[in-house]
Amino acid sequence: MKILVLSFYYRPDLSAGSFRTTPLVEAIARDMPAGSSIDVITTLPNRYRSFEADAPALERAGDVTITRVALPPHQSGMLDQSKAFLAFARGTMRAVHGQQYDIVLATSSRLMTALLGAWIARQKSARLYLDLRDIFVDTIKDVVAKPVARVTKPFLSLIERWTVNRADKVNLVSAGFAQYFRSRYPRQHFAFFTNGIDDEFLTVARTSDRAPRDGADQRLLVLYAGNIGEGQGLHVILPPLAQRLADRVRFQIVGDGGRLPELEEALRAAGVTNVELCSPVGRAVLLDMYRGADVLFLHLNDYEAFEKVLPSKIFEYAALGKPMWAGVSGYAAEFIRAEVTNSAVFPPCSVSEAVLSFERLIIEDRPRADFLEKYSRARISRQLSEDVLSVARERR
């Protein structure tokens, strides 16, 4: 059996796509029949301009070959990201030229990698398994200018329809996506394997080994780690929220993204002094920063599309036993309330509700053993691997 895996991000890059795909490939490599092989095609690390990680363009590890495509310099704008994807698509087509595959697995958040996988599967007469981590057609109306969205959405809807209908099976990372996809594609077969908790987080000590406070500053340390983009809306919520809690809380924001300049400007304009902005760091350093925090913060912008998502950051945060403070709505809010103890949820972008919800947190570390067992990344990757291989074995 020969398997092709397409993922725009892969180890050592820092992204939900990388953290999801890498253990999944490892699980498939363990489970696949003897004599099988996997080709992974991804990109050289590019998630953040401010984080660099070395990785070879070609890497072989047992039966797995990883090809990393170099991308032109790009930022978070639609034009730059389109150029980056075209470079990835060209590199991918060169890499698969002359190869034959039994199944193509494409994991995708912005639809285009899924489209590329569908096209290659069609060309190679291979089966197709899609792992969809977002509803790009539904999201684009909220994260780009309305004139751009009006022009592009009909075209993207056609791409989605062709891509999803071409798949033999589709996994949806959030059960909140179910109604959208089932109503549009009633004949498709869907699975629901969520994101999960990586081994690094399962082995973290769950005691309060926080770093000593600096000098006389005894304020609580609230940490956010991740992308700083339109979808997260930190530039909207953080300046007024930090002002309201200036005498009680210090915020530490670790990450980068397209809205970082707006966040920096908004903090300056508001005269905020209790927010520290830090560049992205590797996981080992990040785990130390997590240990030193009192509360872990999560926020999504107040957009209708985000009512369906289930951010991967929830699993990372919950694994650490820290109080979780989340400005989310819809399915994510329901999930946190049901699954994550010692958490406080508030409506996105609502400063007053955020302050009220903060009072409900118990500021101490409380291990979440049931959550760790249920959402282990290794367990979920093993189940997803079995599902992918079962589709690969089916006859067309």
Side-chain angles (χ1 to χ4, degrees):
M1 182 184 295
K2 193 162 185 181
I3 302 165
L4 174 64
V5 177
L6 301 182
S7 177
F8 200 78
Y9 300 110
Y10 198 78
R11 183 185 57 205
D13 221 338
L14 300 178
S15 78
S18 171
F19 301 148
R20 181 172 180 81
T21 310
T22 303
L24 175 57
V25 168
E26 292 169 351
I28 294 173
R30 288 192 298 269
D31 297 341
M32 65 189 184
S36 301
S37 63
I38 303 174
D39 288 348
V40 177
I41 304 181
T42 184
T43 62
L44 287 168
N46 70 96
R47 182 66 176 90
Y48 296 118
R49 289 171 296 161
S50 53
F51 178 82
E52 294 183 1
D54 292 328
L58 183 64
E59 179 181 355
R60 291 188 175 89
D63 298 319
V64 179
T65 300
I66 304 166
T67 301
R68 295 183 175 91
V69 178
L71 302 183
H74 64 284
Q75 299 184 22
S76 60
M78 287 284 290
L79 181 59
D80 268 11
Q81 291 198 21
S82 297
K83 291 178 180 177
F85 177 77
L86 288 174
F88 174 56
R90 286 194 295 267
T92 298
M93 296 307 295
R94 286 195 297 269
V96 303
H97 180 71
Q99 301 292 323
Q100 289 299 318
Y101 297 99
D102 296 289
I103 188 167
V104 176
L105 165 62
T107 178
S108 184
S109 65
R110 292 185 181 129
L111 185 62
M112 293 299 105
T113 302
L115 171 64
L116 180 61
W119 179 258
I120 293 172
R122 183 175 183 271
Q123 297 297 105
K124 307 291 182 181
S125 298
R127 299 190 72 78
L128 174 65
Y129 194 109
L130 297 181
D131 178 48
L132 300 183
R133 308 193 312 273
D134 204 351
I135 311 176
F136 190 54
V137 172
D138 197 36
T139 304
I140 192 169
K141 69 181 185 298
D142 293 325
V143 298
V144 303
K146 284 183 170 53
V148 176
R150 280 196 297 269
V151 172
T152 58
K153 187 173 179 178
F155 175 64
L156 291 171
S157 295
L158 289 174
I159 290 176
E160 180 191 86
R161 185 176 303 116
W162 184 84
T163 301
V164 173
N165 283 331
R166 176 63 186 75
D168 294 282
K169 194 166 187 179
V170 177
N171 180 66
L172 304 176
V173 78
S174 169
F177 297 164
Q179 183 177 2
Y180 174 93
F181 280 101
R182 282 177 171 160
S183 64
R184 287 163 175 77
Y185 311 104
R187 296 183 179 180
Q188 183 56 266
H189 301 288
F190 294 104
F192 297 90
F193 296 104
T194 67
N195 282 301
I197 306 162
D198 294 307
D199 289 344
E200 298 99 314
F201 295 90
L202 292 174
T203 57
V204 170
R206 294 169 178 84
T207 56
S208 296
D209 53 351
R210 301 186 181 103
R213 294 282 180 258
D214 292 334
D217 193 342
Q218 297 299 309
R219 290 176 296 182
L220 295 173
L221 179 57
V222 175
L223 185 144
Y224 168 88
N227 194 45
I228 305 173
E230 180 66 23
Q232 291 71 41
L234 294 183
H235 57 295
V236 178
I237 185 70
L238 194 56
L241 182 58
Q243 278 185 317
R244 285 280 297 271
L245 297 174
D247 60 337
R248 299 175 56 194
V249 168
R250 292 184 299 125
F251 287 89
Q252 192 172 51
I253 309 300
V254 184
D256 199 348
R259 287 289 184 253
L260 179 58
E262 284 85 350
L263 175 59
E264 291 173 326
E265 176 56 33
L267 292 171
R268 280 195 299 269
V272 172
T273 59
N274 58 324
V275 175
E276 177 187 8
L277 301 178
C278 307
S279 296
V281 296
R283 274 198 158 181
V285 176
L286 182 59
L287 282 169
D288 285 337
M289 299 178 80
Y290 279 150
R291 288 188 183 100
D294 295 295
V295 176
L296 301 178
F297 183 69
L298 174 69
H299 189 263
L300 293 178
N301 219 329
D302 189 15
Y303 294 147
E304 182 183 353
F306 294 156
E307 294 179 1
K308 304 179 184 72
V309 304
L310 186 62
S312 62
K313 190 62 64 176
I314 292 173
F315 299 90
E316 192 171 294
Y317 281 5
L320 299 165
K322 303 278 182 180
M324 184 190 300
W325 189 23
V328 295
S329 60
Y331 182 71
E334 294 171 10
F335 182 90
I336 293 172
R337 290 188 181 107
E339 300 281 355
V340 184
T341 57
N342 196 17
S343 61
V345 176
F346 64 92
C349 301
S350 174
V351 175
S352 59
E353 291 293 333
V355 173
L356 288 173
S357 68
F358 186 76
E359 304 299 337
R360 297 197 295 269
L361 290 172
I362 300 171
I363 309 301
E364 64 182 31
D365 294 358
R366 293 185 170 186
R368 301 178 176 107
D370 291 345
F371 190 91
L372 298 180
E373 172 67 23
K374 187 174 182 179
Y375 293 106
S376 160
R377 176 89 76 181
R379 176 175 173 271
I380 293 170
S381 295
R382 186 168 59 251
Q383 293 171 336
L384 181 50
S385 166
E386 292 170 358
D387 204 44
V388 171
L389 291 174
S390 70
V391 172
R393 295 186 187 102
E394 294 173 0
R395 292 184 178 180
R396 281 201 172 276

